[in-house]
Every structure is written in C-alpha cells, then in structure tokens.
mmCIF file of all heavy atoms in Angstrom:
data_model
loop_
_atom_site.group_PDB
_atom_site.id
_atom_site.type_symbol
_atom_site.label_atom_id
_atom_site.label_comp_id
_atom_site.label_asym_id
_atom_site.label_seq_id
_atom_site.Cartn_x
_atom_site.Cartn_y
_atom_site.Cartn_z
ATOM 1 N N THR A 1 0.949 -40.327 60.472
ATOM 2 C CA THR A 1 -0.010 -39.845 61.455
ATOM 3 C C THR A 1 -1.368 -39.651 60.794
ATOM 4 O O THR A 1 -1.465 -39.359 59.602
ATOM 5 C CB THR A 1 0.438 -38.500 62.055
ATOM 6 O OG1 THR A 1 0.628 -37.546 60.996
ATOM 7 C CG2 THR A 1 1.722 -38.652 62.835
ATOM 8 N N PHE A 2 -2.400 -39.848 61.593
ATOM 9 C CA PHE A 2 -3.772 -39.559 61.174
ATOM 10 C C PHE A 2 -4.068 -38.145 61.650
ATOM 11 O O PHE A 2 -4.096 -37.872 62.844
ATOM 12 C CB PHE A 2 -4.708 -40.585 61.797
ATOM 13 C CG PHE A 2 -6.169 -40.286 61.618
ATOM 14 C CD1 PHE A 2 -6.662 -39.813 60.415
ATOM 15 C CD2 PHE A 2 -7.054 -40.508 62.656
ATOM 16 C CE1 PHE A 2 -8.009 -39.539 60.253
ATOM 17 C CE2 PHE A 2 -8.406 -40.251 62.508
ATOM 18 C CZ PHE A 2 -8.890 -39.771 61.302
ATOM 19 N N ASN A 3 -4.284 -37.238 60.704
ATOM 20 C CA ASN A 3 -4.397 -35.821 61.049
ATOM 21 C C ASN A 3 -5.802 -35.385 61.442
ATOM 22 O O ASN A 3 -5.999 -34.234 61.829
ATOM 23 C CB ASN A 3 -3.907 -34.961 59.881
ATOM 24 C CG ASN A 3 -2.460 -35.234 59.546
ATOM 25 O OD1 ASN A 3 -1.669 -35.562 60.418
ATOM 26 N ND2 ASN A 3 -2.105 -35.123 58.273
ATOM 27 N N GLY A 4 -6.758 -36.302 61.335
ATOM 28 C CA GLY A 4 -8.101 -35.979 61.789
ATOM 29 C C GLY A 4 -9.148 -36.009 60.695
ATOM 30 O O GLY A 4 -8.871 -36.298 59.535
ATOM 31 N N ILE A 5 -10.372 -35.700 61.110
ATOM 32 C CA ILE A 5 -11.555 -35.747 60.241
ATOM 33 C C ILE A 5 -12.174 -34.357 60.157
ATOM 34 O O ILE A 5 -12.292 -33.650 61.161
ATOM 35 C CB ILE A 5 -12.603 -36.732 60.790
ATOM 36 C CG1 ILE A 5 -12.087 -38.170 60.695
ATOM 37 C CG2 ILE A 5 -13.925 -36.591 60.055
ATOM 38 C CD1 ILE A 5 -12.117 -38.749 59.315
ATOM 39 N N GLN A 6 -12.567 -33.972 58.958
ATOM 40 C CA GLN A 6 -13.393 -32.788 58.754
ATOM 41 C C GLN A 6 -14.770 -33.304 58.322
ATOM 42 O O GLN A 6 -14.953 -33.749 57.189
ATOM 43 C CB GLN A 6 -12.788 -31.883 57.680
ATOM 44 C CG GLN A 6 -13.661 -30.694 57.275
ATOM 45 C CD GLN A 6 -14.087 -29.858 58.452
ATOM 46 O OE1 GLN A 6 -15.245 -29.902 58.861
ATOM 47 N NE2 GLN A 6 -13.146 -29.093 59.016
ATOM 48 N N PRO A 7 -15.761 -33.304 59.241
ATOM 49 C CA PRO A 7 -17.034 -33.961 58.939
ATOM 50 C C PRO A 7 -17.858 -33.293 57.848
ATOM 51 O O PRO A 7 -18.736 -33.931 57.264
ATOM 52 C CB PRO A 7 -17.770 -33.929 60.278
ATOM 53 C CG PRO A 7 -17.143 -32.795 61.031
ATOM 54 C CD PRO A 7 -15.712 -32.762 60.602
ATOM 55 N N LYS A 8 -17.561 -32.034 57.542
ATOM 56 C CA LYS A 8 -18.360 -31.369 56.517
ATOM 57 C C LYS A 8 -17.533 -30.268 55.868
ATOM 58 O O LYS A 8 -17.259 -29.240 56.488
ATOM 59 C CB LYS A 8 -19.644 -30.791 57.119
ATOM 60 C CG LYS A 8 -20.629 -30.283 56.084
ATOM 61 C CD LYS A 8 -21.927 -29.854 56.738
ATOM 62 C CE LYS A 8 -22.952 -29.409 55.691
ATOM 63 N NZ LYS A 8 -24.233 -28.991 56.307
ATOM 64 N N ASP A 9 -17.124 -30.485 54.606
ATOM 65 C CA ASP A 9 -16.378 -29.451 53.898
ATOM 66 C C ASP A 9 -17.346 -28.491 53.216
ATOM 67 O O ASP A 9 -18.554 -28.500 53.499
ATOM 68 C CB ASP A 9 -15.397 -30.074 52.899
ATOM 69 C CG ASP A 9 -16.091 -30.794 51.745
ATOM 70 O OD1 ASP A 9 -17.347 -30.722 51.633
ATOM 71 O OD2 ASP A 9 -15.395 -31.446 50.940
ATOM 72 N N LEU A 10 -16.851 -27.669 52.331
ATOM 73 C CA LEU A 10 -17.703 -26.671 51.675
ATOM 74 C C LEU A 10 -18.795 -27.291 50.819
ATOM 75 O O LEU A 10 -19.777 -26.635 50.476
ATOM 76 C CB LEU A 10 -16.830 -25.745 50.811
ATOM 77 C CG LEU A 10 -15.781 -24.916 51.574
ATOM 78 C CD1 LEU A 10 -14.912 -24.141 50.594
ATOM 79 C CD2 LEU A 10 -16.447 -23.982 52.569
ATOM 80 N N TYR A 11 -18.614 -28.577 50.470
ATOM 81 C CA TYR A 11 -19.587 -29.260 49.629
ATOM 82 C C TYR A 11 -20.345 -30.344 50.389
ATOM 83 O O TYR A 11 -21.028 -31.179 49.799
ATOM 84 C CB TYR A 11 -18.884 -29.873 48.410
ATOM 85 C CG TYR A 11 -18.109 -28.840 47.619
ATOM 86 C CD1 TYR A 11 -16.741 -28.687 47.815
ATOM 87 C CD2 TYR A 11 -18.742 -27.995 46.712
ATOM 88 C CE1 TYR A 11 -16.018 -27.728 47.108
ATOM 89 C CE2 TYR A 11 -18.032 -27.038 46.005
ATOM 90 C CZ TYR A 11 -16.672 -26.907 46.207
ATOM 91 O OH TYR A 11 -15.962 -25.950 45.518
ATOM 92 N N GLY A 12 -20.207 -30.351 51.709
ATOM 93 C CA GLY A 12 -20.939 -31.297 52.533
ATOM 94 C C GLY A 12 -20.310 -32.673 52.619
ATOM 95 O O GLY A 12 -20.948 -33.611 53.106
ATOM 96 N N MET A 13 -19.061 -32.822 52.161
ATOM 97 C CA MET A 13 -18.406 -34.121 52.187
ATOM 98 C C MET A 13 -17.493 -34.250 53.401
ATOM 99 O O MET A 13 -16.969 -33.261 53.905
ATOM 100 C CB MET A 13 -17.606 -34.335 50.901
ATOM 101 C CG MET A 13 -18.467 -34.406 49.648
ATOM 102 S SD MET A 13 -17.533 -34.770 48.147
ATOM 103 C CE MET A 13 -16.605 -33.242 47.941
ATOM 104 N N THR A 14 -17.305 -35.490 53.848
ATOM 105 C CA THR A 14 -16.421 -35.776 54.975
ATOM 106 C C THR A 14 -15.018 -36.075 54.467
ATOM 107 O O THR A 14 -14.841 -36.880 53.550
ATOM 108 C CB THR A 14 -16.939 -36.981 55.777
ATOM 109 O OG1 THR A 14 -18.264 -36.702 56.243
ATOM 110 C CG2 THR A 14 -16.042 -37.274 56.967
ATOM 111 N N ARG A 15 -14.027 -35.431 55.065
ATOM 112 C CA ARG A 15 -12.639 -35.594 54.630
ATOM 113 C C ARG A 15 -11.771 -36.081 55.788
ATOM 114 O O ARG A 15 -12.063 -35.812 56.958
ATOM 115 C CB ARG A 15 -12.068 -34.279 54.097
ATOM 116 C CG ARG A 15 -12.699 -33.828 52.784
ATOM 117 C CD ARG A 15 -12.130 -32.516 52.290
ATOM 118 N NE ARG A 15 -12.680 -32.164 50.988
ATOM 119 C CZ ARG A 15 -12.116 -32.461 49.829
ATOM 120 N NH1 ARG A 15 -10.948 -33.100 49.814
ATOM 121 N NH2 ARG A 15 -12.676 -32.123 48.691
ATOM 122 N N ALA A 16 -10.703 -36.788 55.426
ATOM 123 C CA ALA A 16 -9.711 -37.250 56.396
ATOM 124 C C ALA A 16 -8.322 -36.950 55.860
ATOM 125 O O ALA A 16 -8.116 -36.925 54.640
ATOM 126 C CB ALA A 16 -9.865 -38.746 56.653
ATOM 127 N N GLY A 17 -7.371 -36.728 56.762
ATOM 128 C CA GLY A 17 -6.013 -36.381 56.338
ATOM 129 C C GLY A 17 -4.963 -37.246 57.007
ATOM 130 O O GLY A 17 -5.090 -37.621 58.181
ATOM 131 N N PHE A 18 -3.916 -37.554 56.245
ATOM 132 C CA PHE A 18 -2.805 -38.368 56.741
ATOM 133 C C PHE A 18 -1.489 -37.771 56.254
ATOM 134 O O PHE A 18 -1.426 -37.190 55.169
ATOM 135 C CB PHE A 18 -2.888 -39.807 56.220
ATOM 136 C CG PHE A 18 -4.128 -40.543 56.612
ATOM 137 C CD1 PHE A 18 -5.304 -40.398 55.884
ATOM 138 C CD2 PHE A 18 -4.133 -41.375 57.720
ATOM 139 C CE1 PHE A 18 -6.452 -41.071 56.241
ATOM 140 C CE2 PHE A 18 -5.275 -42.058 58.085
ATOM 141 C CZ PHE A 18 -6.438 -41.908 57.347
ATOM 142 N N SER A 19 -0.435 -37.942 57.052
ATOM 143 C CA SER A 19 0.920 -37.619 56.628
ATOM 144 C C SER A 19 1.771 -38.866 56.827
ATOM 145 O O SER A 19 1.592 -39.583 57.822
ATOM 146 C CB SER A 19 1.502 -36.465 57.454
ATOM 147 O OG SER A 19 0.745 -35.283 57.277
ATOM 148 N N GLY A 20 2.681 -39.126 55.884
ATOM 149 C CA GLY A 20 3.487 -40.328 56.003
ATOM 150 C C GLY A 20 4.853 -40.188 55.358
ATOM 151 O O GLY A 20 5.063 -39.355 54.471
ATOM 152 N N THR A 21 5.777 -41.001 55.828
ATOM 153 C CA THR A 21 7.114 -41.054 55.253
ATOM 154 C C THR A 21 7.569 -42.508 55.180
ATOM 155 O O THR A 21 7.036 -43.383 55.874
ATOM 156 C CB THR A 21 8.135 -40.257 56.102
ATOM 157 O OG1 THR A 21 8.154 -40.792 57.424
ATOM 158 C CG2 THR A 21 7.783 -38.779 56.135
ATOM 159 N N GLY A 22 8.558 -42.751 54.353
ATOM 160 C CA GLY A 22 9.132 -44.080 54.238
ATOM 161 C C GLY A 22 10.437 -44.023 53.470
ATOM 162 O O GLY A 22 10.856 -42.951 53.014
ATOM 163 N N LYS A 23 11.082 -45.168 53.318
ATOM 164 C CA LYS A 23 12.338 -45.242 52.578
ATOM 165 C C LYS A 23 12.371 -46.536 51.774
ATOM 166 O O LYS A 23 11.770 -47.544 52.162
ATOM 167 C CB LYS A 23 13.542 -45.205 53.528
ATOM 168 C CG LYS A 23 13.731 -43.880 54.246
ATOM 169 C CD LYS A 23 14.959 -43.927 55.153
ATOM 170 C CE LYS A 23 15.149 -42.596 55.888
ATOM 171 N NZ LYS A 23 16.341 -42.625 56.777
ATOM 172 N N LEU A 24 13.078 -46.489 50.662
ATOM 173 C CA LEU A 24 13.326 -47.697 49.893
ATOM 174 C C LEU A 24 14.672 -47.557 49.189
ATOM 175 O O LEU A 24 15.183 -46.449 48.998
ATOM 176 C CB LEU A 24 12.202 -47.963 48.885
ATOM 177 C CG LEU A 24 11.945 -46.918 47.782
ATOM 178 C CD1 LEU A 24 12.854 -47.126 46.576
ATOM 179 C CD2 LEU A 24 10.488 -47.003 47.338
ATOM 180 N N ASN A 25 15.226 -48.690 48.823
ATOM 181 C CA ASN A 25 16.438 -48.706 48.026
ATOM 182 C C ASN A 25 16.044 -49.025 46.592
ATOM 183 O O ASN A 25 15.491 -50.101 46.314
ATOM 184 C CB ASN A 25 17.416 -49.755 48.550
ATOM 185 C CG ASN A 25 18.792 -49.648 47.903
ATOM 186 O OD1 ASN A 25 18.915 -49.551 46.677
ATOM 187 N ND2 ASN A 25 19.837 -49.683 48.711
ATOM 188 N N ARG A 26 16.298 -48.098 45.681
ATOM 189 C CA ARG A 26 15.838 -48.270 44.303
ATOM 190 C C ARG A 26 16.479 -49.490 43.638
ATOM 191 O O ARG A 26 15.880 -50.115 42.749
ATOM 192 C CB ARG A 26 16.100 -46.999 43.488
ATOM 193 C CG ARG A 26 17.555 -46.618 43.331
ATOM 194 C CD ARG A 26 17.706 -45.233 42.715
ATOM 195 N NE ARG A 26 19.112 -44.871 42.516
ATOM 196 C CZ ARG A 26 19.802 -45.106 41.410
ATOM 197 N NH1 ARG A 26 19.210 -45.720 40.380
ATOM 198 N NH2 ARG A 26 21.057 -44.733 41.292
ATOM 199 N N LYS A 27 17.693 -49.879 44.092
ATOM 200 C CA LYS A 27 18.349 -51.045 43.509
ATOM 201 C C LYS A 27 17.588 -52.337 43.813
ATOM 202 O O LYS A 27 17.694 -53.311 43.069
ATOM 203 C CB LYS A 27 19.783 -51.151 44.016
ATOM 204 C CG LYS A 27 20.730 -50.140 43.387
ATOM 205 C CD LYS A 27 22.167 -50.388 43.837
ATOM 206 C CE LYS A 27 23.136 -49.459 43.108
ATOM 207 N NZ LYS A 27 24.540 -49.677 43.552
ATOM 208 N N ASP A 28 16.828 -52.338 44.915
ATOM 209 C CA ASP A 28 16.028 -53.515 45.241
ATOM 210 C C ASP A 28 14.991 -53.812 44.156
ATOM 211 O O ASP A 28 14.521 -54.947 44.035
ATOM 212 C CB ASP A 28 15.306 -53.317 46.580
ATOM 213 C CG ASP A 28 16.263 -53.345 47.761
ATOM 214 O OD1 ASP A 28 17.402 -53.820 47.595
ATOM 215 O OD2 ASP A 28 15.863 -52.886 48.849
ATOM 216 N N PHE A 29 14.642 -52.791 43.385
ATOM 217 C CA PHE A 29 13.644 -52.951 42.325
ATOM 218 C C PHE A 29 14.292 -53.015 40.941
ATOM 219 O O PHE A 29 13.594 -52.963 39.921
ATOM 220 C CB PHE A 29 12.636 -51.799 42.386
ATOM 221 C CG PHE A 29 11.855 -51.770 43.678
ATOM 222 C CD1 PHE A 29 12.338 -51.089 44.787
ATOM 223 C CD2 PHE A 29 10.653 -52.450 43.785
ATOM 224 C CE1 PHE A 29 11.639 -51.076 45.978
ATOM 225 C CE2 PHE A 29 9.938 -52.439 44.963
ATOM 226 C CZ PHE A 29 10.436 -51.751 46.070
ATOM 227 N N GLY A 30 15.611 -53.101 40.906
ATOM 228 C CA GLY A 30 16.319 -53.203 39.637
ATOM 229 C C GLY A 30 16.616 -51.876 38.974
ATOM 230 O O GLY A 30 17.018 -51.835 37.808
ATOM 231 N N MET A 31 16.449 -50.779 39.715
ATOM 232 C CA MET A 31 16.734 -49.444 39.182
ATOM 233 C C MET A 31 18.179 -49.095 39.533
ATOM 234 O O MET A 31 18.456 -48.483 40.562
ATOM 235 C CB MET A 31 15.756 -48.427 39.779
ATOM 236 C CG MET A 31 15.743 -47.092 39.058
ATOM 237 S SD MET A 31 14.578 -45.904 39.833
ATOM 238 C CE MET A 31 12.995 -46.677 39.482
ATOM 239 N N VAL A 32 19.102 -49.480 38.675
ATOM 240 C CA VAL A 32 20.519 -49.455 39.058
ATOM 241 C C VAL A 32 21.349 -48.384 38.340
ATOM 242 O O VAL A 32 22.538 -48.229 38.634
ATOM 243 C CB VAL A 32 21.164 -50.840 38.795
ATOM 244 C CG1 VAL A 32 20.497 -51.898 39.661
ATOM 245 C CG2 VAL A 32 21.077 -51.222 37.319
ATOM 246 N N TRP A 33 20.763 -47.641 37.405
ATOM 247 C CA TRP A 33 21.548 -46.669 36.644
ATOM 248 C C TRP A 33 22.241 -45.667 37.570
ATOM 249 O O TRP A 33 21.664 -45.187 38.544
ATOM 250 C CB TRP A 33 20.669 -45.906 35.670
ATOM 251 C CG TRP A 33 21.443 -44.943 34.806
ATOM 252 C CD1 TRP A 33 21.964 -45.181 33.576
ATOM 253 C CD2 TRP A 33 21.793 -43.583 35.127
ATOM 254 N NE1 TRP A 33 22.629 -44.067 33.111
ATOM 255 C CE2 TRP A 33 22.539 -43.071 34.037
ATOM 256 C CE3 TRP A 33 21.551 -42.757 36.220
ATOM 257 C CZ2 TRP A 33 23.040 -41.772 34.013
ATOM 258 C CZ3 TRP A 33 22.058 -41.458 36.211
ATOM 259 C CH2 TRP A 33 22.794 -40.978 35.109
ATOM 260 N N ASN A 34 23.501 -45.334 37.232
ATOM 261 C CA ASN A 34 24.227 -44.320 37.991
ATOM 262 C C ASN A 34 25.461 -43.897 37.218
ATOM 263 O O ASN A 34 25.815 -44.510 36.196
ATOM 264 C CB ASN A 34 24.636 -44.839 39.369
ATOM 265 C CG ASN A 34 24.421 -43.795 40.449
ATOM 266 O OD1 ASN A 34 24.600 -42.600 40.213
ATOM 267 N ND2 ASN A 34 24.042 -44.238 41.639
ATOM 268 N N LYS A 35 26.119 -42.853 37.697
ATOM 269 C CA LYS A 35 27.408 -42.416 37.163
ATOM 270 C C LYS A 35 28.318 -42.055 38.322
ATOM 271 O O LYS A 35 27.880 -41.452 39.305
ATOM 272 C CB LYS A 35 27.239 -41.211 36.230
ATOM 273 C CG LYS A 35 26.720 -41.581 34.853
ATOM 274 C CD LYS A 35 26.812 -40.404 33.897
ATOM 275 C CE LYS A 35 26.405 -40.798 32.478
ATOM 276 N NZ LYS A 35 26.538 -39.661 31.532
#
C-alpha cells in the first residue's frame, strides 16, 4: 500500500511511505541447508 505523502517534515523535505509483503522459497535461490 501507498501510505501517503508528508509534503513538509521538520526539515522541509517531502516524504512518502509504503508498506509491503511478499514470499519466496529460499531453495529457489540455492539456500538449501536444513536439519
């Protein structure tokens, strides 16, 4: 999600915020160690 814009922070800069999630299988990248 795009959480919005803060056009002026305490230092006069414009900020934007995002939240995100995802998934991956580590074995797809060759990370196979386990017990």
Side-chain angles (χ1 to χ4, degrees):
T1 57
F2 171 42
N3 299 328
I5 292 284
Q6 173 54 253
K8 189 174 183 180
D9 67 6
L10 298 175
Y11 304 98
M13 295 184 290
T14 302
R15 292 179 176 266
F18 300 83
S19 298
T21 58
K23 292 181 180 180
L24 62 85
N25 190 312
R26 63 190 182 91
K27 285 185 175 179
D28 289 343
F29 298 88
M31 194 181 293
V32 297
W33 183 93
N34 222 325
K35 283 190 175 182

